[in-house]
Amino acid sequence: MAKQIEAANPGWKTEIRVIKTQGDLVQDKPLNEFGGKGVFVQEIEQALLSGQIDLAVHSLKDMPSEQPEGLEMAITPQREDPRDVLICFGDLPARQLADLPAGSVLATGSLRRICQLNRLRPDLQTAPIRGNVETRLRKAEEAGWQGVVLAAAGLKRLGLGGLIAERGLLLEPEDMLPAPAQGILGLETRVGDVQTLPLLQPLHNEASHRQALAERAFLRHMEGGCHAPMGAFCRLLGEEFEIEGFFQTEKNFYRQTLRGRLGQEAAFGQRLAEMIKELIASEG
C-alpha cells in the first residue's frame, strides 16, 4: 500500500511502522476464545488517535463493524481475490474437494470455514491453527495434514500466488462464502484529516466500496462479530447487485440471497441479516 500511495502522489514518501496487536501476539488460542471484537486493531487505532501514525492499513474482514469516535474509513482500494483457497500437501494436490480421501485433515481456525466444510464434506476433519500465512503453511505440512485453508488475497499479497496455481484449490463463493469484506483493505484515518485523505483518494475503487457496504452491513446487523460462523458476498451485476449471506447456529445452517439496485447496498445487507435472524428466532 505504501508503494501505491507514493506512486499516486509523486514527491511524497511514506514511513511504515509495524504495530503488534493482541491478535498477533496470542497464538495458542482460537480467535473466538479471547479478546472479542477488534483483537487485530485496538493497539493500531490507539496509535492513530494519538497521532503516532496518520494511516492504519487493516484487513477489512478483521475489523469490527463499528469504529471508535474520531476515526473513519472513507477510502476503499480495489478488492483482491475474495475467495478462500485450500493449499494441499502431498504428491497429488486436489483439483476439486471431492478428490480428498475421507478422513483428510484440513487446518483452519475459522468457524466460518469449518461449518461450511462440514456441509460440503462431512467426512473430512479440521484442525485448529494460528499464526501468519507462512507459519500456518509450515505447521500444517509438518503436522502431516492434507491441507490448510487460507484467504487467496493474503497469499497473493505476500507474493505466494504461484502456490495457488501449483498446489491450490480455489473455493468459489457458491460453495464457500468468504468473510464479509474478505480481500479488501481497510484504510483508516482520523476524521477530517485534510492532509492524509487527499493522498488516498486516487486509490478509491467504487465497486469494492459498494461490496464492502453490503457485506459489512450484514456483519453489523447479524451482531455476530467478525469471527462468528457467518459469511457474506456481494456480486455487482450491472445496475444491480446480489448479496448472499449465511449464519450457523447450534441447530441449523441458514443461507439467504437478496437482489437490489446500486445505491441500496447497506440497506439490503441489513435486510438480509434481519431475514436470517427471523429464521433463527423461529427455531424455538
Side-chain angles (χ1 to χ4, degrees):
M1 184 52 63
K3 291 181 179 179
Q4 292 176 266
I5 295 172
E6 291 175 356
N9 300 276
W12 281 86
K13 295 295 181 182
T14 59
E15 177 187 344
I16 299 175
R17 295 189 184 180
V18 178
I19 300 174
K20 294 289 185 179
T21 67
Q22 183 185 17
D24 298 313
L25 297 174
V26 179
Q27 297 291 320
D28 59 348
K29 295 181 180 179
L31 290 174
N32 60 301
E33 291 186 5
F34 77 96
K37 299 179 180 179
V39 295
F40 286 106
V41 301
Q42 291 173 354
E43 293 85 352
I44 296 173
E45 289 181 330
Q46 290 170 5
L48 188 55
L49 285 167
S50 67
Q52 298 176 50
I53 59 175
D54 298 304
L55 169 66
V57 180
H58 307 279
S59 174
L60 193 53
K61 75 180 179 68
D62 295 324
M63 291 288 288
S65 57
E66 303 289 350
Q67 290 178 273
E69 184 176 355
L71 299 182
E72 65 178 352
M73 285 186 288
I75 304 297
T76 305
Q78 184 169 355
R79 188 175 206 166
E80 183 50 274
D81 193 330
R83 294 173 291 182
D84 288 309
V85 60
L86 169 62
I87 300 298
C88 300
F89 305 115
D91 296 332
L92 295 173
R95 294 307 173 193
Q96 54 185 353
L97 208 56
D99 294 339
L100 292 172
S104 293
V105 180
L106 307 183
T108 175
S110 163
L111 293 176
R112 173 186 62 82
R113 290 169 176 152
I114 290 170
C115 67
Q116 292 186 98
L117 283 170
N118 286 342
R119 287 179 61 80
L120 293 167
R121 285 288 307 271
D123 57 326
L124 301 179
Q125 300 179 49
T126 59
I129 196 166
R130 291 288 316 282
N132 60 32
V133 169
E134 291 95 336
T135 298
R136 280 182 278 173
L137 286 166
R138 175 179 54 79
K139 285 183 176 179
E141 188 168 20
E142 289 177 352
W145 297 331
Q146 282 65 54
V148 57
V149 186
L150 302 164
L155 288 166
K156 291 182 178 182
R157 289 191 178 116
L158 290 170
L160 298 174
L163 191 60
I164 298 176
E166 178 186 353
R167 310 198 64 80
L169 168 60
L170 284 164
L171 303 172
E172 299 296 335
E174 290 77 12
D175 294 322
M176 175 79 71
L177 279 176
Q182 183 163 304
I184 301 178
L185 293 178
L187 305 187
E188 191 173 29
T189 62
R190 291 181 292 275
V191 173
D193 186 337
V194 296
Q195 184 175 42
T196 304
L197 285 170
L199 301 177
L200 303 177
Q201 188 60 50
L203 306 180
H204 184 70
N205 182 274
E206 187 62 20
S208 299
H209 178 65
R210 291 184 181 278
Q211 289 180 304
L213 284 175
E215 294 168 25
R216 283 177 60 78
F218 176 78
L219 170 68
R220 180 166 60 254
H221 291 281
M222 281 304 305
E223 302 174 329
C226 51
H227 303 298
M230 59 182 289
F233 184 60
C234 175
R235 301 171 180 85
L236 300 184
L237 308 166
E239 295 300 313
E240 296 184 325
F241 69 93
E242 183 178 86
I243 171 73
E244 186 172 14
F246 89 87
F247 193 92
Q248 172 82 55
T249 69
E250 291 184 3
K251 295 182 179 179
N252 291 304
F253 180 93
Y254 298 95
R255 182 165 175 162
Q256 298 288 318
T257 304
L258 284 177
R259 181 175 288 206
R261 295 192 63 80
L262 295 184
Q264 301 175 311
E265 292 84 8
F268 273 62
Q270 176 179 347
R271 186 181 301 178
L272 183 63
E274 291 170 347
M275 284 174 55
I276 293 178
K277 288 170 75 174
E278 288 176 4
L279 292 171
I280 294 172
S282 69
E283 283 184 351

